[in-house]
Amino acid sequence: MNQFKRYIFGQTISQDKTLQADEVEKLIVRAKSIKEKSAQISTRQIMEVFSRLSKAWSDPRYSRRREALASFKEKGVLGPEMIELVFKEFPRFISPEVLTKKIEGELGSPFVQDEPVLQGSTNVSLIFQPAGLVLHVASGNVFLAGI
């Protein structure tokens, strides 16, 4: 029997069947509620969280890093050199500096959700409202996605 593993709102859920329509509807309702709450959080606050996370993941003593490292080694999905590279690059990947550059490349300003931004070509002030919760900053198949 197939086991489906899903990462939904911070939890890994294993099921032996695909999602049913009523389950998807409940997820949509929950996502809309989270979206409304998350719109009240500024980009600066989000970047502060990523700054703390980046610093924590840089520390070899950080408990989550140790757990992830042990899991990587136990499962043997990557070679030792690649594991070393993942744990070296991950803190940089989630640093505010790198994330800001990615957001600027996609949207032009990291603060377009917080304050109006003047669009140069039309001379119109714009403010963005997210349609969802995730801004795509990396391909899903990059080696850092394992963490």
Side-chain angles (χ1 to χ4, degrees):
M1 182 175 296
N2 287 339
Q3 265 306 84
F4 297 96
K5 285 191 174 184
R6 297 178 180 88
Y7 187 73
I8 302 174
F9 301 118
Q11 294 181 322
T12 301
I13 300 168
S14 295
Q15 294 179 315
D16 58 359
K17 61 182 177 66
T18 59
L19 288 174
Q20 303 301 305
D22 62 322
E23 295 172 306
V24 173
E25 185 62 37
K26 288 177 187 175
L27 289 173
I28 291 170
V29 168
R30 186 167 176 202
K32 286 180 180 178
S33 172
I34 292 170
K35 177 189 168 213
E36 290 170 7
K37 291 175 187 172
S38 68
Q40 300 168 8
I41 302 170
S42 74
T43 301
R44 285 178 181 82
Q45 290 170 304
I46 293 168
M47 290 300 177
E48 287 171 14
V49 169
F50 276 104
S51 177
R52 291 195 310 267
L53 280 172
S54 179
K55 287 176 186 165
W57 277 90
S58 295
D59 182 355
R61 298 169 298 180
Y62 179 53
S63 63
R64 300 284 187 199
R65 178 187 167 122
R66 288 195 328 262
E67 289 172 23
L69 181 59
S71 177
F72 270 52
K73 288 179 178 178
E74 175 188 323
K75 293 186 177 19
V77 293
L78 296 174
E81 298 85 9
M82 192 61 133
I83 291 173
E84 185 179 327
L85 181 60
V86 166
F87 283 84
K88 177 184 172 194
E89 289 298 314
F90 184 68
R92 188 186 66 78
F93 182 75
I94 62 170
S95 72
E97 298 78 21
V98 170
L99 293 174
T100 297
K101 285 180 185 175
K102 290 179 182 288
I103 294 170
E104 285 173 343
E106 294 286 329
L107 302 176
S109 167
F111 304 106
V112 294
Q113 295 182 89
D114 302 331
E115 54 200 39
V117 174
L118 185 65
Q119 185 185 36
S121 62
T122 62
N123 208 26
V124 173
S125 290
L126 301 174
I127 190 162
F128 290 70
Q129 294 295 314
L133 296 172
V134 177
L135 174 65
H136 181 269
V137 294
S139 300
N141 62 350
V142 296
F143 65 92
L144 295 172
I147 296 179

